[in-house]
Amino acid sequence: MKEGTDVFIIKAVLPVAESFGFADEIRKRTSGLASPQLVFSHWEIIPSDPFWVPTTEEEYLHFGEKADSENQARKYMNAVRKRKGLYVEEKIVEHAEKQRTLSRNK
C-alpha cells in the first residue's frame, strides 16, 4: 500500500499469452476502479512438449489414453494459431451418441 493514499501496488508474473484482454477484464470486474500496468519482464521456455502423446504402458496408466491433463505448451500454441487464423487440430465431438426423441413423432 502506498503511504498517504488508498492505492495498492501488486506485482505478479503473468504469461504474455494470458495477458491479452487482461486490462479490460480487470476494469470490467472492478467497475473501472483498478487499472493494471503491464510491463515485460523476462521470457522463458515452456518445459513441456506440445506434441507429446503417451507411448509407454506406464504413461498410459498415469496420464490416461489421451493424456487428458492439460498440456500448457499445446494450449498456448493452439491459442496463437487460432488468433492468427491458422489450422488447429481439434475434435469438437468425441464419442457422441445419437439423440432420440422420447415422444413419438406424429
Side-chain angles (χ1 to χ4, degrees):
M1 184 155 180
K2 234 179 180 178
E3 288 186 37
T5 65
D6 58 348
V7 175
F8 283 92
I9 298 175
I10 301 170
K11 293 187 179 187
V13 177
L14 178 70
V16 172
E18 307 224 351
S19 69
F20 297 110
F22 178 72
D24 293 332
E25 190 68 26
I26 288 287
R27 284 192 198 102
K28 274 189 225 170
R29 291 183 184 241
T30 61
S31 301
L33 295 175
S35 59
Q37 180 180 3
L38 302 174
V39 178
F40 180 77
S41 168
H42 65 282
W43 65 274
E44 61 185 65
I45 295 173
I46 298 174
S48 59
D49 178 16
F51 300 107
W52 180 85
V53 290
T55 53
T56 65
E57 188 174 327
E58 184 178 299
E59 289 173 347
Y60 277 112
L61 291 173
H62 189 269
F63 296 106
E65 190 170 322
K66 299 176 193 120
D68 293 334
S69 58
E70 193 168 15
N71 183 340
Q72 284 296 107
R74 187 165 198 61
K75 180 180 135 185
Y76 291 147
M77 182 184 72
N78 286 341
V80 169
R81 285 181 174 179
K82 279 183 189 176
R83 193 175 72 243
K84 292 186 174 199
L86 300 173
Y87 174 74
V88 177
E89 186 178 324
E90 288 182 315
K91 289 186 179 180
I92 296 173
V93 178
E94 195 170 311
H95 306 297
E97 294 180 10
K98 185 176 179 182
Q99 181 181 3
R100 60 174 230 227
T101 312
L102 296 177
S103 62
R104 276 185 90 181
N105 291 335
K106 294 182 181 181

